[in-house]
Amino acid sequence: MIDTPSGPRFVFDAHTHFFDTTFLCGLGKPLGLDGASAPAEVAGRLGWEPPADDPAETARRWVAEMDRHGVDRMVAIHTLPGDLDAAARGIAATSGRLAGYLMINPLAPGAAEQVKRAVTSLGF
């Protein structure tokens, strides 16, 4: 909640991305960066704090920042193919503070099944 001239207001950030180590590894591959050091190297090049190895810890960091800035909930978009499970673990660790959105290529093989799994099994 934030205080406004009209009183306290619920804040729901409608657009963030769940950037975890899997995401940073995906960004690093075209640069020839892979292996355990890739996430820290990519984060450093971007000027970002490296995410925790555990997606749940990354999510807890997000929640701490949300609390610091008065944000009640926020959307967390799964961004790269291949990191759905990591994003789901992070989102699940926040007790509903993060709402999972799925990024999907509808033309990719298995796209409909991936959406169904995200919604029915992973809490998106």
Side-chain angles (χ1 to χ4, degrees):
M1 289 270 189
I2 60 170
D3 289 323
T4 72
S6 301
R9 295 290 184 246
F10 185 89
V11 177
F12 195 132
D13 187 331
H15 189 133
T16 68
H17 293 262
F18 195 82
F19 294 152
D20 67 344
T21 57
T22 307
F23 171 79
L24 293 176
C25 283
L27 285 183
K29 282 183 182 176
L31 303 172
L33 302 171
D34 53 8
S37 64
E41 174 69 22
V42 172
R45 288 184 184 200
L46 294 169
W48 296 354
E49 177 183 336
D53 290 334
D54 178 5
E57 179 56 31
T58 297
R60 284 188 281 275
R61 288 181 187 176
W62 276 94
V63 169
E65 285 298 304
M66 291 165 64
D67 290 344
R68 193 164 74 90
H69 295 284
V71 176
D72 299 285
R73 289 192 73 201
M74 71 182 192
V75 166
I77 302 169
H78 142 269
T79 306
L80 286 179
D83 73 341
L84 178 60
D85 290 314
R89 283 192 305 279
I91 290 164
T94 67
S95 302
R97 298 279 306 273
L98 299 183
Y101 278 25
L102 176 67
M103 187 202 71
I104 192 85
N105 174 354
L107 301 177
E113 291 81 12
Q114 188 175 19
V115 171
K116 182 176 181 180
R117 179 174 168 261
V119 172
T120 62
S121 300
L122 300 177
F124 281 71

Short mmCIF file of all heavy atoms in Angstrom, two decimals, residues 85-118:
data_model
loop_
_atom_site.label_atom_id
_atom_site.label_comp_id
_atom_site.label_asym_id
_atom_site.label_seq_id
_atom_site.Cartn_x
_atom_site.Cartn_y
_atom_site.Cartn_z
N ASP A 85 9.96 -23.87 -15.27
CA ASP A 85 9.97 -24.51 -13.96
C ASP A 85 10.68 -23.65 -12.92
O ASP A 85 10.24 -23.56 -11.77
CB ASP A 85 10.59 -25.90 -14.03
CG ASP A 85 9.71 -26.87 -14.79
OD1 ASP A 85 8.49 -26.90 -14.53
OD2 ASP A 85 10.22 -27.60 -15.65
N ALA A 86 11.77 -23.02 -13.30
CA ALA A 86 12.48 -22.14 -12.37
C ALA A 86 11.60 -20.96 -11.98
O ALA A 86 11.49 -20.61 -10.80
CB ALA A 86 13.79 -21.65 -12.98
N ALA A 87 10.95 -20.35 -12.97
CA ALA A 87 10.05 -19.22 -12.67
C ALA A 87 8.91 -19.68 -11.77
O ALA A 87 8.53 -18.98 -10.83
CB ALA A 87 9.51 -18.61 -13.96
N ALA A 88 8.38 -20.88 -12.02
CA ALA A 88 7.29 -21.40 -11.20
C ALA A 88 7.73 -21.60 -9.75
O ALA A 88 6.98 -21.28 -8.82
CB ALA A 88 6.78 -22.71 -11.78
N ARG A 89 8.96 -22.10 -9.54
CA ARG A 89 9.46 -22.28 -8.17
C ARG A 89 9.57 -20.93 -7.46
O ARG A 89 9.23 -20.80 -6.29
CB ARG A 89 10.81 -23.00 -8.18
CG ARG A 89 10.69 -24.48 -8.42
CD ARG A 89 11.99 -25.22 -8.14
NE ARG A 89 13.15 -24.74 -8.86
CZ ARG A 89 13.45 -25.05 -10.13
NH1 ARG A 89 12.67 -25.87 -10.81
NH2 ARG A 89 14.53 -24.57 -10.69
N GLY A 90 10.05 -19.93 -8.17
CA GLY A 90 10.16 -18.61 -7.57
C GLY A 90 8.81 -18.01 -7.25
O GLY A 90 8.57 -17.53 -6.13
N ILE A 91 7.90 -18.07 -8.18
CA ILE A 91 6.57 -17.51 -7.99
C ILE A 91 5.85 -18.20 -6.84
O ILE A 91 5.22 -17.56 -6.01
CB ILE A 91 5.78 -17.56 -9.31
CG1 ILE A 91 6.39 -16.56 -10.30
CG2 ILE A 91 4.30 -17.29 -9.09
CD1 ILE A 91 5.99 -16.77 -11.74
N ALA A 92 5.98 -19.53 -6.76
CA ALA A 92 5.32 -20.28 -5.69
C ALA A 92 5.85 -19.90 -4.31
O ALA A 92 5.12 -19.99 -3.32
CB ALA A 92 5.50 -21.78 -5.92
N ALA A 93 7.08 -19.44 -4.24
CA ALA A 93 7.70 -19.10 -2.95
C ALA A 93 7.21 -17.79 -2.37
O ALA A 93 7.60 -17.43 -1.26
CB ALA A 93 9.22 -19.06 -3.10
N THR A 94 6.35 -17.07 -3.08
CA THR A 94 5.95 -15.73 -2.63
C THR A 94 4.54 -15.66 -2.06
O THR A 94 4.04 -14.55 -1.81
CB THR A 94 6.07 -14.71 -3.78
OG1 THR A 94 5.11 -15.02 -4.79
CG2 THR A 94 7.47 -14.69 -4.37
N SER A 95 3.91 -16.78 -1.86
CA SER A 95 2.57 -16.82 -1.25
C SER A 95 1.58 -15.89 -1.94
O SER A 95 0.82 -15.18 -1.29
CB SER A 95 2.65 -16.50 0.24
OG SER A 95 3.49 -17.40 0.90
N GLY A 96 1.62 -15.87 -3.26
CA GLY A 96 0.66 -15.08 -4.01
C GLY A 96 1.06 -13.65 -4.31
O GLY A 96 0.31 -12.93 -4.97
N ARG A 97 2.21 -13.21 -3.84
CA ARG A 97 2.63 -11.83 -4.11
C ARG A 97 3.01 -11.63 -5.57
O ARG A 97 2.84 -10.55 -6.12
CB ARG A 97 3.81 -11.43 -3.21
CG ARG A 97 3.55 -11.45 -1.72
CD ARG A 97 2.85 -10.24 -1.17
NE ARG A 97 3.39 -8.96 -1.44
CZ ARG A 97 4.33 -8.33 -0.73
NH1 ARG A 97 4.84 -8.91 0.34
NH2 ARG A 97 4.74 -7.12 -1.06
N LEU A 98 3.55 -12.68 -6.20
CA LEU A 98 3.86 -12.62 -7.63
C LEU A 98 2.81 -13.42 -8.39
O LEU A 98 2.48 -14.54 -8.01
CB LEU A 98 5.24 -13.21 -7.93
CG LEU A 98 6.45 -12.57 -7.31
CD1 LEU A 98 7.73 -13.25 -7.80
CD2 LEU A 98 6.51 -11.08 -7.59
N ALA A 99 2.27 -12.83 -9.44
CA ALA A 99 1.32 -13.50 -10.32
C ALA A 99 2.08 -13.92 -11.58
O ALA A 99 2.63 -13.07 -12.27
CB ALA A 99 0.17 -12.56 -10.68
N GLY A 100 2.13 -15.21 -11.84
CA GLY A 100 2.90 -15.70 -12.97
C GLY A 100 2.19 -15.55 -14.30
O GLY A 100 1.05 -15.98 -14.44
N TYR A 101 2.87 -14.93 -15.24
CA TYR A 101 2.40 -14.85 -16.62
C TYR A 101 3.38 -15.67 -17.47
O TYR A 101 4.58 -15.64 -17.23
CB TYR A 101 2.41 -13.41 -17.13
CG TYR A 101 1.23 -12.56 -16.75
CD1 TYR A 101 0.47 -12.82 -15.62
CD2 TYR A 101 0.90 -11.46 -17.51
CE1 TYR A 101 -0.60 -12.02 -15.27
CE2 TYR A 101 -0.17 -10.65 -17.16
CZ TYR A 101 -0.92 -10.93 -16.05
OH TYR A 101 -1.96 -10.13 -15.70
N LEU A 102 2.86 -16.33 -18.45
CA LEU A 102 3.63 -17.22 -19.30
C LEU A 102 3.86 -16.58 -20.66
O LEU A 102 2.93 -16.09 -21.28
CB LEU A 102 2.86 -18.54 -19.46
CG LEU A 102 3.41 -19.59 -20.37
CD1 LEU A 102 4.71 -20.15 -19.83
CD2 LEU A 102 2.38 -20.70 -20.54
N MET A 103 5.12 -16.57 -21.10
CA MET A 103 5.42 -16.14 -22.46
C MET A 103 5.52 -17.40 -23.30
O MET A 103 6.25 -18.32 -22.94
CB MET A 103 6.73 -15.36 -22.53
CG MET A 103 6.93 -14.77 -23.91
SD MET A 103 8.64 -14.39 -24.30
CE MET A 103 9.32 -16.00 -24.50
N ILE A 104 4.79 -17.43 -24.38
CA ILE A 104 4.73 -18.67 -25.18
C ILE A 104 4.71 -18.32 -26.67
O ILE A 104 4.12 -17.33 -27.07
CB ILE A 104 3.48 -19.50 -24.79
CG1 ILE A 104 3.53 -20.89 -25.37
CG2 ILE A 104 2.21 -18.81 -25.16
CD1 ILE A 104 4.29 -21.84 -24.54
N ASN A 105 5.37 -19.13 -27.46
CA ASN A 105 5.25 -19.05 -28.91
C ASN A 105 4.12 -19.99 -29.30
O ASN A 105 4.28 -21.21 -29.20
CB ASN A 105 6.56 -19.47 -29.58
CG ASN A 105 6.46 -19.53 -31.09
OD1 ASN A 105 5.38 -19.37 -31.67
ND2 ASN A 105 7.58 -19.78 -31.74
N PRO A 106 2.98 -19.48 -29.72
CA PRO A 106 1.85 -20.37 -30.01
C PRO A 106 2.10 -21.32 -31.17
O PRO A 106 1.38 -22.30 -31.32
CB PRO A 106 0.70 -19.40 -30.31
CG PRO A 106 1.37 -18.15 -30.73
CD PRO A 106 2.68 -18.09 -29.99
N LEU A 107 3.12 -21.06 -31.98
CA LEU A 107 3.42 -21.94 -33.11
C LEU A 107 4.42 -23.03 -32.76
O LEU A 107 4.66 -23.93 -33.56
CB LEU A 107 3.96 -21.10 -34.28
CG LEU A 107 3.01 -20.00 -34.79
CD1 LEU A 107 3.67 -19.20 -35.89
CD2 LEU A 107 1.69 -20.60 -35.25
N ALA A 108 5.01 -22.97 -31.57
CA ALA A 108 6.00 -23.97 -31.16
C ALA A 108 5.31 -25.30 -30.87
O ALA A 108 4.19 -25.33 -30.35
CB ALA A 108 6.75 -23.48 -29.92
N PRO A 109 5.97 -26.39 -31.19
CA PRO A 109 5.39 -27.70 -30.86
C PRO A 109 5.15 -27.81 -29.35
O PRO A 109 6.00 -27.40 -28.55
CB PRO A 109 6.46 -28.70 -31.31
CG PRO A 109 7.32 -27.95 -32.29
CD PRO A 109 7.25 -26.51 -31.88
N GLY A 110 3.99 -28.30 -28.97
CA GLY A 110 3.67 -28.48 -27.56
C GLY A 110 3.25 -27.22 -26.84
O GLY A 110 3.13 -27.23 -25.61
N ALA A 111 3.02 -26.14 -27.56
CA ALA A 111 2.68 -24.86 -26.91
C ALA A 111 1.41 -24.97 -26.07
O ALA A 111 1.38 -24.51 -24.93
CB ALA A 111 2.54 -23.75 -27.95
N ALA A 112 0.37 -25.57 -26.61
CA ALA A 112 -0.89 -25.68 -25.87
C ALA A 112 -0.71 -26.50 -24.59
O ALA A 112 -1.23 -26.15 -23.53
CB ALA A 112 -1.98 -26.30 -26.75
N GLU A 113 0.07 -27.58 -24.68
CA GLU A 113 0.32 -28.40 -23.50
C GLU A 113 1.12 -27.63 -22.45
O GLU A 113 0.90 -27.77 -21.25
CB GLU A 113 1.06 -29.68 -23.89
CG GLU A 113 0.23 -30.64 -24.70
CD GLU A 113 0.16 -30.28 -26.19
OE1 GLU A 113 0.92 -29.40 -26.67
OE2 GLU A 113 -0.71 -30.86 -26.88
N GLN A 114 2.07 -26.81 -22.91
CA GLN A 114 2.87 -26.01 -21.97
C GLN A 114 1.98 -25.01 -21.23
O GLN A 114 2.11 -24.82 -20.02
CB GLN A 114 4.00 -25.30 -22.69
CG GLN A 114 4.96 -24.62 -21.73
CD GLN A 114 6.16 -24.01 -22.44
OE1 GLN A 114 6.15 -23.77 -23.64
NE2 GLN A 114 7.20 -23.75 -21.68
N VAL A 115 1.07 -24.38 -21.95
CA VAL A 115 0.15 -23.43 -21.32
C VAL A 115 -0.73 -24.17 -20.31
O VAL A 115 -0.90 -23.71 -19.17
CB VAL A 115 -0.71 -22.69 -22.36
CG1 VAL A 115 -1.81 -21.89 -21.69
CG2 VAL A 115 0.17 -21.79 -23.22
N LYS A 116 -1.27 -25.31 -20.72
CA LYS A 116 -2.13 -26.07 -19.81
C LYS A 116 -1.38 -26.46 -18.54
O LYS A 116 -1.89 -26.31 -17.43
CB LYS A 116 -2.66 -27.32 -20.52
CG LYS A 116 -3.60 -28.13 -19.66
CD LYS A 116 -4.18 -29.30 -20.42
CE LYS A 116 -5.13 -30.08 -19.53
NZ LYS A 116 -5.71 -31.21 -20.23
N ARG A 117 -0.16 -26.93 -18.67
CA ARG A 117 0.65 -27.31 -17.51
C ARG A 117 0.93 -26.10 -16.62
O ARG A 117 0.84 -26.18 -15.40
CB ARG A 117 1.96 -27.94 -17.97
CG ARG A 117 2.86 -28.35 -16.84
CD ARG A 117 4.09 -29.11 -17.37
NE ARG A 117 5.05 -29.24 -16.31
CZ ARG A 117 6.11 -28.45 -16.14
NH1 ARG A 117 6.38 -27.49 -17.02
NH2 ARG A 117 6.93 -28.62 -15.14
N ALA A 118 1.28 -24.97 -17.24
CA ALA A 118 1.57 -23.75 -16.46
C ALA A 118 0.38 -23.34 -15.63
O ALA A 118 0.51 -22.96 -14.46
CB ALA A 118 2.01 -22.63 -17.38
#
